Amino acid sequence: MVGLGGAVATTAVAGLELLRLGAVDPAGLPLAGMEVDGKPVEAATGLVGYADLVVGGWDLDGADLAKAAEQHGVLDPRQLEQAAPALSALTPWPAAGDADFCRNVTGGNVVLAGTRRAQSDIVRADLRRFREEQRLDGLVLVNLASTERWPDPAAPALQSAAAFEEGLDADDRAITPAMIYAHAAISEGVGYVNFTPSLGADVQALLELATTRGVPVAGKDGKTGQTMMKTVLAPAFRSRALTVEGWYSTNILGNRDGLALEDPDSLSSKLQTKGSVLDSILGYPVEDHVVRIDYYRPRGDQKEAWDAIDLVGFLGQRMQIKVDFQCRDSILAAPLAIELARLTDLAQQRGQGGVQEHLGWFFKAPMTADGEVPEHALHRQERALLDWLATPAPR
């Protein structure tokens, strides 16, 4: 995991440990208890069990995960106490970071490498060492880092795999930390998941590399709260011929993700993924679709999302719907990160490289292999995932 010391990652690691201890049940994990052809999904498909997951990763903050989890305040005191021995044993590896791409989240636990090529080489060495030390059967890299500003996607270094390799050698400023991790993972044959709005494996150069190497990639930006609700409600409005005249959305949160989004450039990256879902679902542009995100420190991880929806129905009569989702940001996100790791590993077992479109159910801005507009409606995305799970692996 990139961002191992963050709220989502520490919650995921603590959750896995509490499951192993039998201290919690698997509530909130979408695939827990699922059956395929009358068998548990793990037995029917080869999906790895939760107890078999081993976690390591990078963070700009070098504190052990027990200290990090206490600071984030997601776990209740009893859960923190039970998971503390396992969390204390995990310390993040030095991270490949660049303050120019994420100005509000910094730290001293950084790789001692002067160029992008050197950073990628160090991340690749970390992956090889982790695989060997833990004697792993499979390995997936999940990006849970803070949101980066986007570079210019049209930059020459991002247009082909060969140009990207040259860009690494030239320390090209168009190559972001997220891309360095994606390049390292794909180069090592490690599946890559981008749970953030940052540009990662979705640039042309890395898509080409993933396809050539046969490595599965998925992303981007986990769909957990407000956007998930939009992808449930918007199809219902369309099916009832209710016209969405306007949709005003605002969010407040006080965790590290919220702090990162105080930087206008990082915020712009986030808004691009949050604002893209309505028009494709409804089939027309919603001119008054407003999305706001505000950092509000007292809330910590307890995010609140408000939606005010203006509808026009029969005889031109106007109606309104108000939604107030008082959620726990990391409690929603951590289970999805865990399931994505399991599913990406399953794709690797099946020998299915390139963009994993069936994992679009997890994301605000799902990747597509051909660059076409993705499916956003949650129920259709779920059907695609379930159909893929039920499809036998090619022999």
Side-chain angles (χ1 to χ4, degrees):
M1 292 179 175
V2 188
L4 183 64
V8 176
T10 54
T11 302
V13 176
L16 290 171
E17 177 62 15
L18 292 170
L19 281 172
R20 288 189 186 99
L21 295 173
V24 297
D25 62 35
L29 286 157
L31 303 185
M34 177 182 288
E35 293 189 351
V36 173
D37 295 331
K39 301 177 183 177
V41 64
E42 292 84 0
T45 66
L47 191 69
V48 67
Y50 300 112
D52 294 319
L53 295 175
V54 181
V55 182
W58 307 262
D59 201 280
L60 293 170
D61 187 334
D64 69 64
L65 265 58
K67 294 176 182 175
E70 183 177 12
Q71 180 182 9
H72 295 308
V74 178
L75 307 176
D76 67 38
R78 178 61 176 161
Q79 291 171 335
L80 184 58
E81 179 185 0
Q82 291 173 307
L87 294 175
S88 298
L90 272 179
T91 301
W93 312 323
D98 186 335
D100 183 46
F101 288 97
C102 189
R103 298 186 185 98
N104 287 357
V105 178
T106 59
N109 192 41
V110 296
V111 297
L112 299 177
T115 67
R116 281 157 172 73
R117 170 66 72 186
Q119 287 182 334
S120 179
D121 287 345
I122 289 173
V123 173
R124 293 180 66 174
D126 288 338
L127 291 169
R128 291 194 297 270
R129 185 185 68 252
F130 185 58
R131 189 196 296 269
E132 292 166 4
E133 290 178 352
Q134 300 295 334
R135 301 174 65 187
L136 303 178
D137 298 310
L139 184 54
V140 175
L141 189 152
V142 182
N143 183 9
L144 297 171
S146 298
T147 302
E148 300 172 356
R149 70 165 177 85
W150 280 18
D152 180 5
L158 309 183
Q159 303 313 303
S160 71
F164 194 92
E165 296 293 341
E166 293 174 1
L168 286 174
D169 291 331
D171 202 30
D172 194 306
R173 300 294 299 170
I175 297 176
T176 67
M179 295 178 200
I180 289 170
Y181 284 106
H183 172 267
I186 296 167
S187 299
E188 291 296 320
V190 172
Y192 175 82
V193 175
N194 187 7
F195 205 75
T196 82
S198 308
L199 282 180
D202 46 337
V203 298
Q204 181 58 40
L206 295 177
L207 282 175
E208 178 187 324
L209 184 64
T211 302
T212 302
R213 296 288 181 90
V215 177
V217 295
K220 65 181 179 286
D221 199 5
K223 181 164 68 175
T224 56
Q226 186 176 68
T227 306
M228 179 193 70
M229 296 298 295
K230 285 183 177 179
T231 60
V232 172
L233 293 173
F237 299 149
R238 178 171 180 167
S239 72
R240 290 290 194 243
L242 296 172
T243 300
V244 177
E245 188 175 43
W247 198 311
Y248 181 89
S249 300
T250 188
N251 304 260
I252 57 172
L253 71 164
N255 58 15
R256 192 163 74 175
D257 188 36
L259 179 61
L261 296 176
E262 273 215 304
D263 172 38
D265 290 335
S266 292
L267 178 62
S268 176
S269 302
K270 184 75 171 180
L271 294 180
Q272 290 191 60
T273 59
K274 283 181 72 69
S276 63
V277 302
L278 281 185
D279 295 357
S280 65
I281 293 176
L282 296 170
Y284 55 84
V286 180
E287 294 184 11
D288 293 290
H289 182 199
V290 179
V291 181
R292 291 185 54 86
I293 304 174
D294 293 310
Y295 176 61
Y296 181 57
R297 185 185 54 80
R299 282 300 174 90
D301 201 66
Q302 298 186 53
K303 177 179 176 179
E304 186 164 1
W306 298 302
D307 288 274
I309 309 160
D310 288 278
L311 303 172
V312 179
F314 190 51
L315 305 179
Q317 295 291 329
R318 285 175 164 78
M319 296 164 279
Q320 294 183 349
I321 294 178
K322 311 290 187 185
V323 180
D324 183 6
F325 192 177
Q326 300 180 48
C327 58
R328 300 298 297 269
D329 203 34
S330 298
I331 294 299
L332 292 172
L336 303 190
I338 292 170
E339 299 293 26
L340 279 164
R342 299 207 302 158
L343 290 164
T344 305
D345 174 70
L346 181 58
Q348 291 187 129
Q349 292 182 46
R350 292 179 171 184
Q352 297 174 348
V355 176
Q356 305 297 300
E357 293 191 21
H358 56 275
L359 298 183
W361 185 68
F362 292 90
F363 300 109
K364 296 184 183 73
M367 296 169 62
T368 57
D370 56 9
E372 295 298 315
V373 175
E375 177 61 66
H376 284 291
L378 193 71
H379 67 288
R380 294 194 186 99
Q381 292 176 322
E382 182 184 33
R383 185 72 266 156
L385 174 61
L386 296 178
D387 287 346
W388 179 80
L389 275 170
T391 302
R395 295 186 180 277

